[in-house]
Each structure stands twice: as structure tokens, then as C-alpha cells.
Amino acid sequence: MDTAVEQATRPFIEVTEIWRPEGDTLVQAGGNYGGLDAFEAISGHTSFKKGEGLPGKAWAEGRPVVLKAFDGSYFKRTEAAKEAGLTAAVAIPVFAGEELKAVLVVLCSDDDIRTGAIELWSEKDGYLMLDDGYYGAAKHFEWVSQHTHFPKGQGLPGGVWASQTPILMRDLGSGYRFIRSESAGKAGLTTGLGLPIARPDGENSVLTLLSARGTPIAHRFEIWDARAAKVGSANSAVMIDGICDREGPLWSEDNPRRISAWQGPIGQVLGSGLPVAQKSAPGLPAGYSDVVGLPIYRGSAIAHIVAWYS
């Protein structure tokens, strides 16, 4: 394969891992490390106390944490990450009320090609302001984002804030609903997924994942509604939105729109209450091998599940 083509099709996110509390310590509870076997092995022998390392810091602060450089930071696996070509990471804690269920960590590699965005927006003075974000090569879009704020209901972050539900937004470069459409179009960003972040301090935060066509975060996104009042059962979920860059319906007889607890990866999230990150997972839609599933809590119950596939 031509090197330029190979680089252009590498994913924006290289590694996704799950850290689960056991007592006062976070231990590895699965993940997708691609072909980075040495980094996976070291991670499997690593643990974090509250406040320690990136996962521990997200636990202690009760909100997502963005780390754009490892050298000289609190990141514990700096040498192993450097050998693997990893340069930045985002930790997303999953809280059910005040109880930490897990921390989802995504790790990225920085170069002149890979473009995308993982952003954390928090409420300040009645607006959502950018707390921090990782953008890869999309430097101008990063600058625009740093100088943008959202009232409730406006744009992708403001829409999530108003509805307190996940939202998928398409055609970012041309859609009038996406406030930063001009700079998104120049950066090649096409798809946005916004997530309400449950924080134990009750403050409002929104996480946005913005995917570019050339170096996508994923090739398929889904939102599942798990609210019993909406789907008629506490042990099932219904897909309410999705987008993929391949032809074919999002659901069919082979890929049902409704799932039950423990049925496939989405059902595993529903049944366990924990995120999943699986490589070569069975039971996925045709043409996909990897999946990340993330529960979105309201109080102590799962309200939604978001998933992305490659």
C-alpha cells in the first residue's frame, strides 16, 4: 500500500481503554490497542489511585481531562506511549450519580495529516465555553473553537446542553446548525457526536467528538435510548439515530433496532452498566470489527448508549 494512502486512512484515535475501580484503585478492564502490543502489555500491569495519572485525575476531578502532551506531565506511561507513537490522550469518567463506574481513555498520535476533535465544553456565566480539546492537525479550527461560546440550544454543544441527550450532527462543513461550519469545512470535519457528561458536582459539561473523512474517529456512529419510559422496558434499548459512511440500512433483520441486556456489545453495556472497547468483536454489523460503547447516565440509571465502530 502507498505510504501516503496508508497514513491518510489511519484513525484519529489509536487506542481505547477501560479502567474500572476496584476499591480505591483503577485497574485495566479491557480495551482496543490496535497492533500496539507492547503498550497494551505495560498498561495491563499498571494501576492508578484516585488523582494519579490521567485516569486517576479524571476520577478525582469528576470530569473529562484532556492531555495534549505527555513529557513532563502526570502521565505514568510516557516512555511506552512514546515508543508506540502516542502523543495525546483524553480520559472520560463515567459516573452513576456520585459512583464512578469506569474511566474511558482514548489515545491519539499527532502528525501533519490526522484531523479531528475531542472537545470538553463547560458552563461558565450562562454559556458553554471550551475547557480544553485535542484537534490533531486542525489548528485553525482549534483557534476558532477557543474563541466560540454557546448559549443553551445553539450549535452542537448547546443542543446537547438543552436536551441533556446525545446528538448526532451531519455535514458539519455545510450545515447551518453547526456554528463553526466554515472552519469545519476547511478542516474536513464531517460528523459530530455530542454527549452530556454526568458530573458528581452537578455542573454542566458536554463532550464533542468531531470526525473527519480522511482520518475518521469511526466509520459508524449510533445512539441508543435506554430510558424505560421511552422503550417500554428497563432491560432493552432502541436505536434512535445513527450514521455510517457505507451503504445499507442502519438496522435490518440481521442488525435489529432493539436490543436486550447482554445481547451483543450494546447489550453488554446495558447489562453491565460499563463501557466496552472491543477489537474483532462478534455480533457487530457487517463490515465492522471494532466497537466502543459508552453508557450515558442520568442519575443512577443509564439513559442512553452511544457507540462508534471501525
Side-chain angles (χ1 to χ4, degrees), residues 34-119:
L36 303 178
D37 297 338
F39 186 74
E40 180 177 7
I42 288 174
S43 301
H45 292 90
T46 304
S47 61
F48 302 93
K49 298 291 186 180
K50 190 173 185 178
E52 182 183 28
L54 180 61
K57 186 174 178 66
W59 182 7
E61 294 193 2
R63 64 184 185 91
V65 176
V66 180
L67 187 56
K68 289 182 273 194
F70 297 151
D71 285 338
S73 76
Y74 49 82
F75 194 77
K76 284 181 64 173
R77 298 167 286 165
T78 298
E79 289 304 315
K82 188 178 296 184
E83 291 180 5
L86 301 169
T87 57
V90 180
I92 306 163
V94 179
F95 283 93
E98 296 185 356
E99 177 192 358
L100 180 75
K101 304 293 287 187
V103 179
L104 177 76
V105 175
V106 299
L107 296 104
C108 305
S109 298
D110 200 9
D111 55 35
D112 294 333
I113 295 176
R114 268 178 276 205
T115 296
I118 305 173
E119 306 173 309

Side-chain angles (χ1 to χ4, degrees), residues 16 18 30-32 264-265 268 276-282 284 289-293:
T16 305
I18 312 293
N32 181 358
Q268 183 178 334
V276 299
Q278 299 176 350
K279 181 177 177 62
S280 302
L284 298 187
S289 60
D290 305 338
V291 61
V292 176

